[in-house]
Amino acid sequence: MSAEINKLTQCLKECSSNLETKCAGVDPSELSAEFVETIEAAIGKLQGVARVGGGNTYVFLKAFDQFLAGDFNNYIQSSSAIGADVKTHAELVKKAFEAQREFIKVVAECKPPSQDVLMKLIKPTSEAMTAVVEFKDKNRGSKQFNFLSAVAEGIGALGWVTIMKNPEKFAKDMADAAEFYTNRILKEKVPEEKDWTLKLKGMFKGLGSYIQEFFSAGLQWNVQGKDPASAICSSPAAGPPAPGPPPPPPVQAPAPSGAPAPGGSNARSALFDEIKQGTGISSGLKHVSNDMKTHKNPALRSQQPKASASSPQPYKAPAAKVTSSVKAPVAKKPPVLELQGFKKWIVEYQENNQQLEINGEMKQTVYVYKCTNSVLKIKGKVNSITLDGCKKFAIVFEDVLSSLDFINCQSMQAQVTGRVPTVNIDKTDGCMVYLSEKSLDTQVITAKSSEMNVLIPKGDGDYTEYAIAEQFVSRYNGEKVVTELHDQVA
């Protein structure tokens, strides 16, 4: 059925091209109603082909149900087998995909919506995606944190519905962000965990294939469908409509512009008559002698006139309402440096602390989160070190069994005095890694990062600095695509 739809779509494009050629320069208002009705009927027939058995279920909606029953269900079952936080997390992911299924149903049944209506229709999916990410953030101490992070990084693929050009590429890029964590899971070589990783990748791959087959040019709304605003209230994910704003206060009618001013026309005539006098207007004023002037007679200054009810009162400006545009500062979270469960060191929210120190063991991992302008020293051999969301942070350590990881960091420094097999730098701007003589074979893996430098010891206590390439150039050589470093090509 999808092959037939593709043929009809291509046919429609050719017809559209022919119409543009023949109708060039024709005023749209000159088109007859019969012509417009014919075109609309043709579009309706084309969309009717996208229905299954003439019913109300569209091919792309049925295909999404097949995806949920296939690749997606495989991920859910594998997550249930892992259990614990992974299983709970998968239930949140399920709600996100179910919300997207309801949105696709609206696409099949409704006309193209306005931008504000579209945002309301997407809101259930967006809220479910946010819940997936928040669950990961609230469980940073979980032993399954890599699993949670992989899913949270890839869940953004559901945002493809907002992309009109190459939405399948957008979904793929979001899913690829999960590989950083799935690779760490695969290092453990646990069969169940490896199966879960393959199922997760299969789920995102299945979603990409679905998008490419049915929505490679963006969402295809039903031009003869119902009003999309009606789907907001009928959607099961949508709650009751929010109450409207309170009615405005009654407005007093302004005085008629033609109302006479106090004194009427006679007062205005007298005023103009006085103005016409010119300099003679001051002839009727009384002379003020020196003894009547306050600056000539200090005794008059001390006399305060008594205010009467009929005397005019001085104008007092209303007190200005002072409003501050400065927002209240965000409450700082307390710094943390503790060992959780005998296997995981947690270092969080440290600021301006140059004396952080950990005595580690081989089975322990170190996780550093949101630390600023601080220095951490780790003694002994640990399993791994992860620095997440840190800024202007330095770390000195002896030996690491697996890897040192930088994620979403800025202006970082790290020095190893022993050995570290792998250094991963992901989404980090500014990173200097000082290697020791035992770590000259260290692998440095980078992704979406900049200003990275590796410093190699020269043997005399000094270091030689080497920059890691940030840009690459790819060309097709007639057989395959070859990628080279930018500095080599320039």
Side-chain angles (χ1 to χ4, degrees):
M1 181 65 72
S2 60
E4 296 177 3
I5 295 174
N6 291 334
K7 291 181 180 179
L8 287 172
T9 303
Q10 183 63 30
C11 180
L12 184 62
K13 290 180 180 179
E14 294 176 359
C15 292
S16 175
S17 178
N18 293 335
L19 281 173
E20 289 179 0
T21 302
K22 294 181 179 180
C23 298
V26 178
D27 187 353
S29 61
E30 297 179 0
L31 298 177
S32 64
E34 182 181 359
F35 176 80
V36 176
E37 291 177 358
T38 303
I39 295 297
E40 290 179 349
I43 295 173
K45 288 181 179 180
L46 180 62
Q47 288 186 331
V49 177
R51 299 175 183 266
V52 178
N56 293 325
T57 304
Y58 279 67
V59 169
F60 57 77
L61 184 58
K62 182 178 180 181
F64 195 81
D65 289 337
Q66 292 173 348
F67 159 73
L68 293 179
D71 293 331
F72 181 75
N73 188 54
N74 293 337
Y75 155 74
I76 294 295
Q77 291 182 352
S78 182
S79 298
S80 298
I82 297 293
D85 290 335
V86 173
K87 181 179 179 181
T88 305
H89 205 208
E91 293 299 323
L92 297 176
V93 176
K94 185 177 181 180
K95 293 181 180 179
F97 275 83
E98 288 175 347
Q100 181 146 105
R101 196 269 181 193
E102 292 299 321
F103 174 77
I104 293 175
K105 182 180 178 182
V106 174
V107 173
E109 297 176 347
C110 298
K111 298 177 182 179
S114 60
Q115 188 65 23
D116 57 336
V117 173
L118 177 62
M119 292 298 101
K120 292 178 181 179
L121 293 173
I122 296 176
K123 186 177 180 181
T125 306
S126 176
E127 291 177 344
M129 293 167 60
T130 302
V132 172
V133 178
E134 289 179 347
F135 183 86
K136 180 263 296 185
D137 292 336
K138 293 178 181 178
N139 292 274
R140 294 186 175 275
S142 173
K143 296 179 180 179
Q144 299 173 328
F145 184 70
N146 287 332
F147 295 81
L148 306 183
S149 298
V151 176
E153 289 288 336
I155 196 64
L158 292 182
W160 68 268
V161 295
T162 62
I163 307 299
M164 296 304 296
K165 186 177 181 180
N166 297 329
E168 68 277 4
K169 182 180 182 300
F170 171 84
K172 183 180 183 300
D173 291 342
M174 293 294 101
D176 289 346
E179 289 191 4
F180 176 81
Y181 296 98
T182 54
N183 290 339
R184 298 179 68 179
I185 297 172
L186 291 174
K187 288 180 182 180
E188 303 297 330
K189 298 181 180 180
V190 179
E192 288 184 355
E193 297 179 354
K194 180 180 180 180
D195 177 74
W196 180 88
T197 300
L198 296 176
K199 294 296 192 302
L200 179 68
K201 291 183 177 181
M203 178 189 72
F204 287 126
K205 184 177 180 181
L207 178 63
S209 299
Y210 169 80
I211 299 170
Q212 186 174 13
E213 181 175 0
F214 296 99
F215 298 102
S216 59
L219 295 176
Q220 304 298 324
W221 296 82
N222 187 348
V223 295
Q224 291 186 332
K226 61 183 181 180
D227 183 5
S230 62
I232 298 176
C233 299
S234 61
S235 174
V251 180
Q252 294 182 355
S257 58
S265 59
N266 294 333
R268 285 196 296 270
S269 299
L271 174 62
F272 283 107
D273 291 341
E274 291 180 358
I275 294 176
K276 291 177 182 178
Q277 296 178 18
T279 56
I281 192 173
S282 60
S283 60
L285 298 178
K286 295 181 179 181
H287 176 70
V288 180
S289 59
N290 289 337
D291 60 341
M292 299 172 64
K293 300 177 182 178
T294 55
H295 67 284
K296 295 283 186 178
N297 191 353
L300 294 177
R301 300 178 200 166
S302 59
Q303 298 178 7
Q304 297 295 335
K306 296 182 180 180
S308 62
S310 60
S311 61
Q313 299 295 323
Y315 172 77
K316 292 184 178 180
K321 184 178 181 181
V322 180
T323 58
S324 176
S325 60
V326 181
K327 296 182 178 180
V330 179
K332 292 185 178 180
K333 296 185 178 181
V336 177
L337 196 160
E338 63 182 13
L339 179 62
Q340 295 182 354
F342 302 101
K343 287 189 177 181
K344 187 171 186 177
W345 282 97
I346 299 295
V347 184
E348 294 181 339
Y349 307 111
Q350 298 286 345
E351 292 187 9
N352 304 316
N353 191 342
Q354 315 295 320
Q355 307 296 327
L356 299 172
E357 187 170 317
I358 289 176
N359 292 316
E361 298 179 3
M362 189 178 300
K363 294 183 179 181
Q364 295 175 345
T365 61
V366 179
Y367 181 75
V368 185
Y369 179 69
K370 292 287 185 181
C371 293
T372 305
N373 196 30
S374 301
V375 178
L376 173 62
K377 185 175 182 180
I378 303 177
K379 297 181 179 179
K381 179 183 289 188
V382 295
N383 185 280
S384 65
I385 302 174
T386 300
L387 298 100
D388 187 359
C390 297
K391 186 175 182 180
K392 295 182 180 179
F393 189 85
I395 183 171
V396 181
F397 59 95
E398 295 180 2
D399 295 282
V400 172
L401 193 60
S402 59
S403 65
L404 167 66
D405 301 322
F406 296 90
I407 308 170
N408 296 318
C409 295
Q410 295 181 11
S411 304
M412 305 294 290
Q413 291 189 20
Q415 180 177 2
V416 53
T417 59
R419 189 175 188 281
V420 55
T422 305
V423 176
N424 292 309
I425 306 176
D426 184 55
K427 299 178 183 177
T428 294
D429 297 322
C431 185
M432 300 183 67
V433 180
Y434 293 80
L435 298 179
S436 66
E437 294 182 356
K438 297 180 182 180
S439 297
L440 298 181
D441 60 343
T442 297
Q443 279 188 328
V444 180
I445 303 172
T446 65
K448 299 180 180 180
S449 299
S450 63
E451 302 178 25
M452 300 167 290
N453 297 277
V454 175
L455 293 95
I456 307 298
K458 297 172 59 176
D460 56 356
D462 201 358
Y463 288 84
T464 302
E465 184 174 346
Y466 296 92
I468 298 179
E470 302 175 15
Q471 297 183 357
F472 302 87
V473 175
S474 298
R475 295 191 182 96
Y476 179 67
N477 64 2
E479 298 180 356
K480 59 181 180 179
V481 175
V482 179
T483 301
E484 299 176 335
L485 297 180
H486 184 268
D487 56 356
Q488 291 181 357
V489 178

